[in-house]
Amino acid sequence: MERRSFIKNTLSVSGLLLVSDMNLSSPIDYLPQLEFNQPNVIPFPENPESWNDFRKLLDNWRKTVIKKIGYDDALYRKPEFDWVSSTFNCYFLMLNDETFYDHTGRKYIVDEFLENNEKVFGRIDSIVLWHAYPRIGLDDRNQFDFYRDMPGGLNELGNISEQFHRHGIKVFIDYNPWDTSTRREPMSDIDTLCDIVKTIKADGIFLDTMAWGAAEFREKLDRSRPGVVLEGELALPVDNISDHHMSWAQWFSDSKVPGILRNKWIERRHIQHGINRWVRDRTPELHSAWMNGSGIMIWENIFGQWNGWNERDKSILRMMSHIQKRYSRLFSGEGWTPLSGETPENVYASLWYDKDMRLWTLVNRTNKPIENELLQIDFKSGESYYDLIKGEEIKIQRRGKKAVLSGVISPRGIGCFIAARPDNLGNDFQHFLSSQNKISSFFVSSTYFPYISTVRKPIIRTKPNEGIGMVKIPPFNGTLKVEFRIRECGFYESIYRTFVNGNSNMHDTIAFELAADLSAFLIDETPVTNLQYSVFLKTTGYMPKSPRNFLKHWKEGHIPVGKEHHPVVYVDLDDARAYADWAGKRLPTELEWQFAGQGFKKNKYPWGAEWNKDLCNNGRNGDTTPVMAYPNGRSVFGCYDMCGNTWEMTESEHSDGRNRFCILKGGSYYKATGSEWYFDGGPQSMNFSAKQLLMYSGIDRCNTVGFRCVADL
């Protein structure tokens, strides 16, 4: 009897519409019509009886798409890109991360970083060196300046790149196309990127906020350094698979039955990195990568906030990563049958094969373990069977022409079986099994979120001070309103509640009350000036341990003419503390600074409740001004320059072991425009606080940040 199957499903992919009410027992000659709705994950029907027919539909759709767009895989066939299809796990690295850069020793700690992370995640195949955001816009340095101002500059980044290469890890730099109003380069962004790629021997460019790069990227990269790939953050259209070897699978939604990554289905050598940055359950991305032979973006330090992995998800990735690397040839080949074999309910398997072996990846969609019979497949004489997760050979049950493979898959876990003749598995296969057995023995099922705490550096009180050039601030006990603009770097905590589960309200202002119990203190009438800082230098001979950008605005060690009474800038926290210690003072806490600016009435601005552009340096001259230039803008206690001119550092250094930061107050004359991703700029209210991530003197020093001091009474 002729078999007829009608799948009630609409498949819309790559500008093509396939309506699948069709008789699949006859040749597929349905001509798709063009349209532009492009899902990133192709859902499978839930009824297993439809799967065979649906796979035929998928095969036909793939052939049709390739023909329609005139797909050319020439770049994938180039030997310099052979590395792409085995590059599964990508680590998103904040260069300020304390596990990567030791600010005390002032050095990168690459080997320690890799040793720790490979124990945790199994393998790292590539790494994104993230640099500028969320610091960019605090001054006029552009995104490329941030790479140049890293410790050791581009030469040291080149050394780091070589260290990663020795471990078989590819290196990506970042491109922020929205950075258009900071200092401009003498050449185009693309030419500048190519120059940095060539200098540090990078292997790829991560295209922040972009889905794909212009053809000019590809042309110029190929001339600068062969084998450099482009990887966009947003969903990559099918038309761009041919010249973008990688793409993010960010916030992709999967169905109960594991769906197919569209781009991976079209080009098997294309790698997609699954990521949903704010979630605490990574199994959706892990399952999708495992069932599609694709990759994962490992991202814990999200622009200065912590969102670590739980032990279960780390265990799963450790078990996956070495299998994917060893069998990358299978995962990037044409032998792929989605949803293959018979499995228990809520367990699903994909088959990967060539002439020598068959490999099945399995996922458990439930929150309970699945035991005993896991997969029923066609039996082939002469094959041996192995559980690659457990790292052991298994005995099968024969059921007619079928072989039944048994085992255990943990809740939300994965499985993997391979079938092959032993002589096709490689001389080191037993060693590989032993390694996998060891990895699986350390499986931890806990889904507890790995919280870390932010610790504030203790404040060292001063001795009584004569108070010359200072004003007295009376004691205060109560609450002060603090405002932040919601940015991904967060506030005081390691991870802030507004970002959990993606509920971020990005760029809005958030306000909360902080308890303030302030003893009376003295505060400088003005920010510390260039002239005052020069006296400190002449008296003490102070030289910072890291001179990069120290007093960069001075000319051959001399104050620029006319700027003696401008606030000193291009100093970092250590430079400011050294001055304060010499003067018998310290930096103010953020609440001390705020109370000195707004007084008991809690004024919004130093002069009162209403904004007045004529009472502060709001950037009209594009530079700093003398600290007493706006006498009518003083606070109720008589403090000058607490709004605009320069941001002021406070004694508020925090660390959670991954990120260091301090709180800035007051705003500055400078404001980068054109993108909400820039750091907050311009004059700010007394309530407003900004979080400055700290890393290294060359980055931390800038021309928009100064300081003033306080003394205890």
Side-chain angles (χ1 to χ4, degrees):
M1 180 177 178
E2 183 181 9
R3 180 171 178 265
R4 296 172 62 85
S5 176
F6 296 90
I7 305 172
K8 304 297 183 182
N9 189 30
T10 299
L11 184 60
S12 168
V13 186
S14 178
L16 302 174
L17 181 67
L18 286 177
V19 179
S20 55
D21 276 341
M22 51 191 294
N23 182 356
L24 295 179
S25 62
S26 60
I28 300 175
D29 57 1
Y30 177 73
L31 180 63
Q33 67 185 64
L34 292 175
E35 76 106 52
F36 296 99
N37 195 10
Q38 305 179 28
N40 300 300
V41 180
I42 306 170
F44 251 74
E46 291 194 16
N47 183 1
E49 294 182 3
S50 303
W51 291 353
N52 282 335
D53 289 339
F54 193 73
R55 281 191 289 265
K56 294 176 184 177
L57 181 65
L58 276 176
D59 286 336
N60 178 65
W61 169 82
R62 182 187 183 219
K63 294 172 185 175
T64 304
V65 170
I66 288 173
K67 182 178 179 181
K68 283 283 184 182
I69 67 175
Y71 181 69
D72 183 357
D73 71 344
L75 282 176
Y76 288 86
R77 288 185 277 107
K78 284 190 172 184
E80 57 263 38
F81 293 110
D82 283 347
W83 61 271
V84 171
S85 60
S86 62
T87 307
F88 296 96
N89 295 339
C90 182
Y91 193 96
F92 196 104
L93 174 65
M94 295 289 291
L95 283 170
N96 68 287
D97 195 306
E98 292 185 84
T99 66
F100 179 73
Y101 180 74
D102 175 9
H103 73 277
T104 303
R106 300 185 300 283
K107 62 180 180 179
Y108 296 106
I109 45 176
V110 177
D111 289 336
E112 294 92 325
F113 168 82
L114 286 176
E115 182 179 0
N116 176 66
N117 280 285
E118 291 189 354
K119 286 179 182 176
V120 172
F121 297 109
R123 278 197 60 86
I124 295 175
D125 299 314
S126 61
I127 198 157
V128 177
L129 303 181
W130 188 269
H131 62 325
Y133 174 80
R135 283 285 308 273
I136 191 169
L138 179 57
D139 59 7
D140 68 349
R141 281 180 293 185
N142 64 39
Q143 58 184 299
F144 312 113
D145 291 327
F146 274 80
Y147 279 129
R148 299 177 184 120
D149 279 347
M150 287 294 165
L154 294 182
N155 287 337
E156 186 59 24
L157 287 181
N159 293 335
I160 287 170
S161 184
E162 288 184 3
Q163 284 182 267
F164 283 127
H165 288 158
R166 287 198 293 271
H167 288 270
I169 297 171
K170 299 296 183 178
V171 175
F172 283 64
I173 61 170
D174 164 53
Y175 174 52
N176 307 124
W178 45 266
D179 175 27
T180 57
S181 69
T182 55
R183 188 188 73 82
R184 296 296 85 201
E185 293 285 324
M187 52 187 173
S188 72
D189 283 0
I190 294 179
D191 287 326
T192 308
L193 283 165
C194 289
D195 186 59
I196 293 176
V197 163
K198 188 175 181 179
T199 300
I200 74 170
K201 299 180 177 64
D203 307 288
I205 298 176
F206 171 68
L207 305 171
D208 179 48
T209 72
M210 299 172 69
W212 70 92
E216 185 183 1
F217 268 104
R218 185 73 271 151
E219 295 164 6
K220 290 187 173 181
L221 283 172
D222 289 342
R223 290 198 297 267
S224 297
R225 176 170 160 80
V228 177
V229 305
L230 296 170
E231 179 169 14
E233 175 183 4
L234 305 182
L236 181 72
V238 167
D239 290 342
N240 298 97
I241 297 174
S242 60
D243 56 5
H244 289 66
H245 294 76
M246 294 180 166
S247 59
W248 272 24
Q250 181 170 222
W251 298 312
F252 285 9
S253 296
D254 203 354
S255 48
K256 177 185 175 183
V257 176
I260 300 298
L261 290 175
R262 180 197 65 199
N263 292 359
K264 174 73 175 180
W265 181 251
I266 291 173
E267 173 52 77
R268 307 297 165 79
R269 292 160 292 186
H270 185 80
I271 290 290
Q272 295 182 266
H273 290 116
I275 178 63
N276 190 341
R277 68 182 70 170
W278 293 115
V279 301
R280 295 180 178 176
D281 175 8
R282 268 67 177 217
T283 54
E285 296 98 84
L286 290 165
H287 284 187
S288 183
W290 190 230
M291 294 294 284
N292 285 273
S294 204
I296 288 290
M297 182 62 57
I298 305 168
W299 197 359
E300 304 173 286
N301 186 354
I302 304 174
F303 305 127
Q305 279 199 92
W306 169 252
N307 194 32
W309 284 45
N310 64 50
E311 292 299 329
R312 177 198 63 191
D313 296 345
K314 289 188 289 190
S315 294
I316 291 173
L317 186 57
R318 285 196 299 270
M319 294 186 296
M320 284 173 53
S321 61
H322 294 286
I323 297 173
Q324 285 186 319
K325 193 72 173 181
R326 181 179 180 89
Y327 296 104
S328 60
R329 177 177 51 82
L330 286 181
F331 292 119
S332 60
E334 289 298 309
W336 176 14
T337 305
L339 299 184
S340 174
E342 296 181 28
T343 57
E345 185 178 5
N346 297 314
V347 172
Y348 304 94
S350 279
L351 168 62
W352 313 86
Y353 62 92
D354 62 12
K355 62 182 179 62
D356 294 322
M357 64 188 67
R358 297 179 291 166
L359 184 149
W360 291 264
T361 55
L362 293 81
V363 296
N364 174 8
R365 292 297 224 200
T366 73
N367 290 310
K368 61 181 181 180
I370 305 295
E371 303 182 38
N372 300 320
E373 295 184 6
L374 296 179
L375 182 65
Q376 184 170 294
I377 59 173
D378 292 333
F379 173 78
K380 289 187 178 180
S381 178
E383 287 185 332
S384 296
Y385 300 86
Y386 303 87
D387 182 331
L388 295 187
I389 298 297
K390 292 292 185 182
E392 59 188 21
E393 186 173 1
I394 58 174
K395 301 298 182 183
I396 63 165
Q397 290 178 274
R398 287 289 304 277
R399 196 167 290 164
K401 295 182 179 180
K402 298 291 184 180
V404 178
L405 285 66
S406 297
V408 179
I409 305 182
S410 61
R412 299 291 297 172
I414 63 169
C416 187
F417 296 112
I418 194 168
R421 294 179 179 275
D423 54 357
N424 287 332
L425 291 170
N427 295 331
D428 64 339
F429 183 66
Q430 289 302 321
H431 175 75
F432 174 70
L433 286 182
S434 297
S435 175
Q436 286 296 110
N437 182 268
K438 184 177 180 180
I439 291 171
S440 67
S441 69
F442 288 102
F443 177 83
V444 180
S445 61
S446 171
T447 57
Y448 177 78
F449 180 72
Y451 289 92
I452 58 177
S453 299
T454 302
V455 177
R456 179 174 177 151
K457 189 171 182 176
I459 297 168
I460 301 175
R461 299 293 174 180
T462 67
K463 296 178 181 179
N465 192 286
E466 294 180 3
I468 299 173
M470 306 183 82
V471 296
K472 183 177 179 180
I473 308 298
F476 173 78
N477 185 276
T479 61
L480 293 176
K481 181 181 178 181
V482 175
E483 295 179 347
F484 282 85
R485 184 166 67 92
I486 298 177
R487 305 171 72 239
E488 287 175 295
C489 60
F491 315 123
Y492 298 106
E493 300 90 344
S494 292
I495 182 167
Y496 196 70
R497 58 182 170 80
T498 56
F499 291 102
V500 176
N501 298 323
N503 181 23
S504 66
N505 304 311
M506 189 68 73
H507 308 303
D508 289 349
T509 298
I510 189 170
F512 43 88
E513 299 283 334
L514 292 181
D517 184 7
L518 307 178
S519 301
F521 61 94
L522 298 171
I523 189 167
D524 286 345
E525 208 175 13
T526 71
V528 174
T529 65
N530 285 312
L531 182 60
Q532 290 171 319
Y533 205 83
S534 70
V535 174
F536 157 64
L537 294 180
K538 290 175 183 176
T539 304
T540 64
Y542 172 77
M543 283 295 295
K545 294 178 180 177
S546 298
R548 179 80 174 181
N549 288 337
F550 180 59
L551 299 176
K552 182 180 177 181
H553 60 309
W554 290 20
K555 307 300 180 184
E556 297 181 354
H558 299 288
I559 302 169
V561 175
K563 287 200 171 185
E564 292 81 3
H565 300 293
H566 286 230
V568 67
V569 291
Y570 285 116
V571 289
D572 66 5
L573 264 178
D574 288 338
D575 303 328
R577 286 170 177 154
Y579 174 92
D581 185 61
W582 166 77
K585 305 175 185 180
R586 61 175 172 82
L587 299 184
T589 68
E590 64 266 36
L591 294 184
E592 287 174 333
W593 190 101
Q594 181 171 328
F595 181 62
Q598 64 183 174
F600 288 102
K601 291 185 178 181
K602 302 181 182 179
N603 292 333
K604 186 171 183 179
Y605 299 100
W607 53 82
E610 301 298 325
W611 167 249
N612 188 327
K613 63 181 177 61
D614 296 321
L615 299 183
C616 68
N617 178 2
N618 69 352
R620 62 178 65 87
N621 297 321
D623 199 356
T624 56
T625 51
V627 295
M628 289 187 174
Y630 297 93
N632 293 330
R634 286 178 294 171
S635 76
V636 66
F637 297 122
C639 297
Y640 288 84
D641 239 16
M642 299 196 83
C643 179
N645 213 8
T646 66
W647 288 99
E648 294 186 23
M649 289 177 273
T650 63
E651 191 55 81
S652 56
E653 183 180 347
H654 295 69
S655 172
D656 60 13
R658 305 298 295 257
N659 298 287
R660 293 170 56 243
F661 65 88
C662 74
I663 303 299
L664 304 181
K665 300 289 286 185
S668 75
Y669 71 90
Y670 177 77
K671 182 177 177 65
T673 59
S675 175
E676 289 188 306
W677 300 112
Y678 282 127
F679 196 93
D680 303 291
Q684 301 291 341
S685 72
M686 297 297 92
N687 297 331
F688 193 83
S689 294
K691 179 178 178 179
Q692 178 192 20
L693 291 179
L694 303 173
M695 177 182 178
Y696 158 73
S697 303
I699 296 291
D700 299 341
R701 296 183 182 117
C702 52
N703 65 349
T704 59
V705 179
F707 69 99
R708 74 178 73 213
C709 301
V710 300
D712 297 296
L713 290 174

